[in-house]
Amino acid sequence: MAITEHRDIEKGDNKGLEDLLEPFFDDGLKNVQDVKETGQNGSISMVLLSTAVAVCGSLEFGSCVGYSAPVQSGISIDLNLSVAEYSLFGSTVTIGAMIGAITSGRIADTIGRKGAMTLSAVFCMAGWLAIFSSMESLLLDAGRFFTGYGIGIFSFVVPIYIAEIAPKNLRGALTTLNQLMIVTGSSISFLLGTVVSWRTLALTGLVPCILLLVGLLFIPESPRWLAKVGREAEFEYSLRKLRGAKADVLAEADEIHETILALQSLPKARLLDLFDAKYIKAVIIAVGLMVCQQSGGINGIGFYASETFQTAGLSSSKAGTIAYALIQIPVTMLGVVLMDKSGRRPLLMVSSFGTFLGCFLAGTSFFFKSQTVFLEWVPLLAVSGVLIFIASFSIGMGAVPWLIMSEVTTPYQCFYNRTNRPT
């Protein structure tokens, strides 16, 4: 639920990825026009098609994340689940996503980017079918875990694939679509959950997976991965398919090969290197921001928004859920624009204050309810708190920590590459 700026830092691959920091709304259309006018990168249609297919995984990510909030009442009643049992169901997705994210790098390097996306889609489809057919909590939780594992892999492989296939001057613009589609998928789940049953909503989660699996039949594998594993004939075919039959790809092919050779010559980094005096400040900043982001309550707010509105006494919890869904997309777009205009730190501070205010208002509403005072204010405070929280999170705390993490770690990584390169 954050805009991720992806560099293959794990392998030291910074070359050619500097423009991941470019905003989509400021430069995206301009870059597309530049490519068409100069012809330097040949046909752009295959790149756009490949990106569209890949971000179906992002749409699936959002659909999975947004599923639990609007269906809590329906699932709890139909399957006779307690609050604790439903809470386990809601949180199991994060356990699966954590394991999926940990294994995603090895999977993507072993079976390729397309193979990893295929595997993710299969896990998600199995999970949705398990949820759809559930008659008790065990199968329900297993299905939620499978979808979580699938989106954990998607969270890594989708932006990496886009970054590796996109021309240099479109890379930042196209990578930004990953987060936009995550938010869109979440909002769609929130909206559909107000009008369809929880079983039907589970079936709608299959749609992005089906689109992805069909689309993967028509798009090429990542040229960088093919070059890395030594599949030269497929590498050249993939690169020409992405850049156009008449495009001159020799310079880019040479650059990719040079990068791979340079990376292979570098010594392998160790986990203990993170605690070196040269890197510890960057590590503390990056990890600290991510801890603050994830411990601020976003999953609790997102997973149980509908129940929060209902418990607060809102006359129609669906109205609050719809407002929650509609506010995410435009605010996320605004955050993308402001990120390079207002600066990272001011946006982060404003967003942090907004999330604090949202939590404070929501908490105050339930305190009033427990004390049976100002009861007429309870629904308004709860709704205002949740909406302020999600708007504030979307505009800054969701996106900026990922961006700062890439920006503060890259200079140290570059220093490491220079000082440790064999002579």
Side-chain angles (χ1 to χ4, degrees):
M1 301 72 88
I3 301 175
T4 52
E5 300 295 339
H6 290 267
R7 301 167 186 251
D8 206 350
I9 295 298
E10 181 182 44
K11 306 173 186 59
D13 189 1
N14 295 316
K15 187 173 182 179
L17 300 184
E18 300 86 352
D19 52 298
L20 287 186
L21 303 182
E22 296 176 7
F24 173 70
F25 295 101
D26 286 350
D27 300 324
L29 296 177
K30 178 179 179 295
N31 286 335
V32 171
Q33 186 63 31
D34 288 345
V35 171
K36 291 181 178 179
E37 290 178 356
T38 61
Q40 292 177 352
N41 290 302
S43 173
I44 199 63
S45 58
M46 182 53 67
V47 173
L48 297 179
L49 174 62
S50 300
T51 301
V53 171
V55 295
C56 288
S58 307
L59 190 67
E60 174 65 18
F61 188 114
S63 298
C64 184
V65 170
Y67 176 78
S68 60
V71 301
Q72 179 172 356
S73 177
I75 292 181
S76 298
I77 293 174
D78 289 353
L79 301 185
N80 193 28
L81 300 183
S82 65
V83 174
E85 288 174 325
Y86 188 82
S87 297
L88 177 62
F89 166 73
S91 59
T92 300
V93 69
T94 59
I95 300 173
M98 178 180 66
I99 298 174
I102 291 173
T103 59
S104 60
R106 181 61 59 88
I107 291 173
D109 283 344
T110 302
I111 63 177
R113 307 335 187 193
K114 288 177 61 177
M117 286 189 281
T118 301
L119 181 65
S120 303
V122 170
F123 266 100
C124 287
M125 292 179 71
W128 287 124
L129 291 174
I131 292 173
F132 171 78
S133 57
S134 294
M135 294 300 175
E136 39 79 33
S137 61
L138 181 60
L139 188 58
L140 192 72
D141 293 339
R144 189 70 168 159
F145 177 84
F146 285 154
T147 58
Y149 184 79
I151 67 173
I153 300 176
F154 275 137
S155 69
F156 172 82
V157 72
V158 169
I160 286 296
Y161 175 77
I162 296 173
E164 290 181 344
I165 67 167
K168 199 170 183 179
N169 58 344
L170 286 179
R171 201 169 286 144
L174 295 179
T175 306
T176 308
L177 292 176
N178 175 57
Q179 171 63 15
L180 187 59
M181 294 305 291
I182 291 175
V183 174
T184 301
S186 176
S187 296
I188 290 174
S189 285
F190 269 76
L191 293 173
L192 289 179
T194 63
V195 295
V196 301
S197 69
W198 62 274
R199 294 189 189 274
T200 302
L201 187 61
L203 290 180
T204 64
L206 298 173
V207 175
C209 295
I210 295 172
L211 293 176
L212 177 68
L213 292 176
V214 173
L216 287 174
L217 300 175
F218 302 97
I219 64 175
E221 179 58 271
S222 162
R224 288 181 179 269
W225 179 78
L226 292 171
K228 180 181 176 182
V229 297
R231 292 158 62 172
E232 289 298 321
E234 295 174 69
F235 161 69
E236 182 177 349
Y237 172 79
S238 175
L239 193 57
R240 288 196 176 277
K241 190 172 183 179
L242 288 165
R243 302 295 180 257
K246 298 181 180 180
D248 182 7
V249 298
L250 293 179
E252 185 175 0
D254 288 341
E255 178 188 336
I256 292 173
H257 282 117
E258 289 174 6
T259 301
I260 293 173
L261 290 174
L263 294 175
Q264 290 174 345
S265 68
L266 292 175
K268 291 186 177 181
R270 301 171 302 165
L271 183 63
L272 291 178
D273 291 337
L274 294 174
F275 300 96
D276 191 285
K278 296 189 295 291
Y279 316 123
I280 190 64
K281 183 177 180 180
V283 170
I284 291 174
I285 293 173
V287 175
L289 283 174
M290 296 307 300
V291 168
C292 291
Q293 180 202 65
Q294 293 300 312
S295 62
I298 180 58
N299 286 335
I301 293 286
F303 288 177
Y304 307 107
S306 296
E307 185 67 15
T308 300
F309 296 143
Q310 184 175 341
T311 305
L314 189 66
S315 57
S316 174
S317 62
K318 291 184 177 181
T321 303
I322 292 173
Y324 183 104
L326 294 178
I327 202 172
Q328 289 188 93
I329 297 177
V331 172
T332 299
M333 292 180 178
L334 179 62
V336 172
V337 175
L338 292 178
M339 197 176 296
D340 285 325
K341 293 185 179 296
S342 64
R344 283 56 160 150
R345 191 164 179 264
L347 195 61
L348 191 63
M349 293 174 68
V350 171
S351 177
S352 299
F353 176 77
T355 55
F356 160 76
L357 179 61
C359 284
F360 179 78
L361 291 176
T364 300
S365 70
F366 286 101
F367 174 76
F368 286 164
K369 184 176 181 180
S370 66
Q371 301 298 316
T372 62
V373 295
F374 304 116
L375 294 180
E376 67 276 10
W377 288 93
V378 169
L380 178 61
L381 288 174
V383 173
S384 300
V386 170
L387 296 184
I388 289 173
F389 180 95
I390 190 59
S392 301
F393 184 89
S394 298
I395 204 171
M397 278 299 292
V400 177
W402 291 99
L403 180 56
I404 290 182
M405 180 172 64
S406 69
E407 290 180 334
V408 299
T409 55
T410 298
Y412 292 93
Q413 177 67 25
C414 293
F415 175 79
Y416 178 84
N417 290 346
R418 289 199 306 272
T419 56
N420 291 276
R421 186 180 296 276
T423 57

